[in-house]
Amino acid sequence: MALNVIMLGPPGAGKGTQAERFAHGRGIPKISTGDILRKAVEDGTEIGGLVKAIMDRGELVNDEVMTGIVRDRLEKADARSGFVLDGFPRTVAQAVALDDMILDRGSLLVIDIVVPETELVRRLAGRMICADCGANAGEAAESGSLAGTKAHPGRCRRCGGALVQRADDSNGVVRERLKVYHCQTEPLVEYYRRRPTFRSVNGAQPPDTVATDLETAVDAAHRVAMAASGGVPR
Ligand code: AMP
């Protein structure tokens, strides 16, 4: 049965880094809607033009656009044996659309990464990404092709690009993104909580410990999903 994983949690919870690491380890794609949108802005596509100002304000892009992007991405061959979605769904409407998209593809395994608000603000203020490849500085250090080589301060370990603060990690925008999270995305936890494939992971631990807990949580949720489907791979 395919490993269909979604990662819930506020901005700064470590979803991106953990999703990258987990997906890499299992040989399935990490699909980050934030990365897809930032690339569209950078490439100057039509969608990029539509979403730039919304992202700069820390608000959410509309559900139809996001659902279309994810539907197209999940249809690619590399996502057939599973995926890790990072940053989607972010509203109940997106969650309902996702359930519909994967109806014939096995269960959704839902991981909620929990981190206290004070820690989130501290992390977001210090977060750096690569200006060239978009990798998170922590993530690039762990899984990049240059990992293990001597780090250059202020440089991406994956591609050597300069590390910069994300435009929407600046102080005012961070507060707006956390507000948007509480109003529009946190209700998703209630949407999923009663499912047997829902698991919470404590994200306020060292990254290696979070990664181990995440593996355990996904495997446990997957076993439950397999048992529910009679163990028949889909
Ligand atoms: P992220 O990198 O996941 O924090 O996303 C950065 C920004 O992209 C968000 O603040 C939103 O403006 C936009 N975005 C990413 N994913 C979504 C989504 N699923 N729904 C709406 N907007 C999104």
Side-chain angles (χ1 to χ4, degrees):
M1 183 193 278
L3 266 186
N4 304 325
V5 181
I6 61 170
M7 310 262 287
L8 302 180
K15 295 189 299 294
T17 305
Q18 293 294 339
E20 171 83 23
R21 189 166 162 167
F22 180 84
H24 186 77
R26 302 292 175 110
I28 53 179
K30 168 200 155 187
I31 301 173
S32 157
T33 46
D35 285 352
I36 293 171
L37 294 175
R38 278 184 288 278
K39 174 98 176 37
V41 171
E42 203 187 305
D43 293 349
T45 66
E46 195 187 336
I47 285 188
L50 286 173
V51 303
K52 182 176 186 317
I54 299 170
M55 293 176 76
D56 285 347
R57 290 196 298 270
E59 295 167 7
L60 293 188
V61 173
N62 82 61
D63 291 331
E64 289 71 35
V65 170
M66 295 315 303
T67 304
I69 288 174
V70 172
R71 182 172 285 116
D72 288 350
R73 182 61 187 86
L74 292 186
E75 272 167 17
K76 299 221 165 108
D78 67 340
R80 287 319 296 189
S81 57
F83 52 80
V84 183
L85 268 171
D86 159 31
F88 185 98
R90 252 178 162 102
T91 64
V92 172
Q94 292 178 13
V96 171
L98 179 62
D99 278 340
D100 186 55
M101 279 178 230
I102 66 152
L103 266 184
D104 59 347
R105 300 173 59 152
S107 298
L108 205 53
L109 314 179
V110 185
I111 307 296
D112 182 32
I113 304 199
V114 182
V115 176
E117 183 105 0
T118 45
E119 172 70 7
L120 295 174
V121 175
R122 194 186 66 75
R123 285 185 188 180
L124 289 165
R127 173 158 81 176
M128 303 291 274
I129 62 163
C130 174
D132 291 344
C133 74
N136 182 309
E139 175 185 308
E142 281 156 16
S143 62
S145 57
L146 304 183
T149 60
K150 196 169 178 301
H152 293 278
R155 294 266 148 202
C156 174
R157 289 181 69 170
R158 176 182 287 167
C159 73
L163 297 179
V164 294
Q165 188 179 44
R166 246 174 69 167
D168 60 356
D169 277 348
S170 65
N171 231 327
V173 184
V174 160
R175 271 194 294 274
E176 177 62 22
R177 287 166 62 215
L178 288 171
K179 202 171 94 194
V180 165
Y181 170 77
H182 288 307
C183 295
Q184 295 182 262
T185 308
E186 213 167 21
L188 278 184
V189 175
E190 291 317 309
Y191 178 82
Y192 287 121
R193 191 186 291 284
R194 279 180 299 275
R195 295 191 184 184
T197 52
F198 175 92
R199 294 286 181 285
S200 288
V201 168
N202 173 8
Q205 311 181 83
D208 286 350
T209 314
V210 178
T212 307
D213 287 2
L214 176 67
E215 299 263 348
T216 308
V218 173
D219 289 338
H222 193 219
R223 276 196 300 276
V224 169
M226 292 278 284
S229 72
V232 183
R234 284 198 258 180

